[in-house]
Amino acid sequence: MVYFNKDLLPVDEINPMWKSLNTAERMYLRENAKYEEFKRGSIIYREGAAPTHMYCLISGKVKIFRDFVGGRSQLVRIIGPGESFAYRAYFAGENFMTSAAAVDNSEAYSLPLTVVGQILKSNNSLAVEFIKLLSRDLGVMDIRVVSLTQKHVRGRLAETLVMLMDKYGTEEDGKTLWGGMPREDLASFSNMTISNAIRTLSNFASEGIIELDGRRIRVLDEEKLRRISQLG
């Protein structure tokens, strides 16, 4: 559903990647941006669909995932506020290879990819920003592949918790991970079963590394958690 919210920053101020836009390009982008709200659990796009819009997340979290036979899904990435997504397939001339869903109630700007593509044709600096963005994403995925195939269960889950802490920060106490991620998403992102994820979290809790309160996770021993993540 599309809304208008006059209190939000313009789309080009959400992420510094748009800083190279000139006045005409900036107005063109703003005129074509739409503010959207997504309820927790709602699908933003589905695997196999043709890409038409990219999204700039304002608030909330979005998961990028892929479904497999038997109802199993693999969580590929987590998108946080200020980040953009749903553009790779368009530039590759492909349909989406993944799906996206809101983890929390989320807000985003949607931008027609034809509009973005038109600006890119005349703005070399913006094109370089997209190349950097795609290159960083590729680097992160390379590291993730190694981690998921080489690390043990404890190392994989510890790495996920560290990533959530580094990427999204903590609540006011400086220890509780921002927001709560369902156990099935933690398990999927760490490439393990839900039962293994729950068991490993319980082990971390019994060792005094974390404290569990429903979906909320409070990190008590950050140094030890990072050490487990690094050693795998």
Side-chain angles (χ1 to χ4, degrees):
M1 189 171 185
V2 178
Y3 299 85
F4 174 71
N5 188 331
K6 63 181 178 60
D7 298 322
L8 290 175
L9 287 173
V11 61
D12 53 279
E13 295 182 18
I14 298 296
N15 189 306
M17 69 181 290
W18 306 105
K19 67 181 181 297
S20 66
L21 298 182
N22 60 38
T23 301
E25 292 167 339
R26 198 174 301 277
M27 292 307 300
Y28 183 45
L29 191 72
R30 292 182 183 184
E31 288 168 359
N32 286 278
K34 289 185 178 180
Y35 167 69
E36 302 194 42
E37 292 182 346
F38 299 100
K39 297 291 185 182
R40 176 182 168 186
S42 62
I43 298 294
I44 299 172
Y45 67 78
R46 288 193 180 276
E47 180 179 347
T52 58
H53 291 74
M54 67 174 286
Y55 298 87
C56 299
L57 195 63
I58 302 166
S59 68
K61 289 197 295 289
V62 169
K63 64 179 180 181
I64 310 298
F65 64 97
R66 191 167 189 185
D67 288 321
F68 294 93
V69 177
R72 188 176 69 87
S73 65
Q74 177 65 53
L75 200 158
V76 178
R77 291 174 61 203
I78 298 290
I79 305 297
E83 294 185 289
S84 301
F85 63 102
Y87 51 84
R88 189 210 64 83
Y90 175 80
F91 294 123
E94 303 170 343
N95 288 341
F96 285 121
M97 299 179 66
T98 57
S99 301
V103 177
D104 305 318
N105 291 338
S106 302
E107 302 171 289
Y109 281 114
S110 63
L111 304 171
L113 281 161
T114 51
V115 169
V116 176
Q118 190 64 37
I119 296 174
L120 285 172
K121 289 179 180 179
S122 59
N123 190 317
N124 292 335
S125 295
L126 182 62
V128 170
E129 289 300 319
F130 268 90
I131 292 172
K132 289 179 180 178
L133 194 60
L134 289 164
S135 299
R136 285 194 295 266
D137 288 346
L138 183 59
V140 169
M141 292 309 299
D142 285 346
I143 293 172
R144 288 289 296 163
V145 168
V146 173
S147 296
L148 295 179
T149 56
Q150 299 298 318
K151 289 186 178 181
H152 296 296
V153 169
R154 284 171 60 88
R156 296 202 302 269
L157 187 57
E159 182 180 272
T160 295
L161 297 179
V162 168
M163 182 277 294
L164 291 173
M165 183 165 50
D166 289 345
K167 189 170 184 178
Y168 306 113
T170 57
E171 297 182 5
E172 291 182 358
D173 63 3
K175 295 180 179 295
T176 303
L177 299 186
W178 177 76
M181 182 178 286
R183 296 295 184 257
E184 56 266 30
D185 285 344
L186 281 175
S188 176
F189 199 57
S190 306
N191 195 29
M192 62 178 68
T193 64
I194 297 175
S195 59
N196 273 341
I198 293 174
R199 186 181 307 113
T200 305
L201 285 172
S202 296
N203 289 340
F204 285 168
S206 66
E207 295 169 31
I209 301 172
I210 63 172
E211 183 178 74
L212 302 174
D213 180 14
R215 285 175 50 176
R216 294 159 65 85
I217 299 174
R218 189 166 181 258
V219 178
L220 303 178
D221 193 335
E222 181 180 337
E223 182 180 347
K224 188 171 183 179
L225 185 67
R226 290 185 181 276
R227 188 161 60 248
I228 295 171
S229 171
Q230 293 168 358
L231 295 176

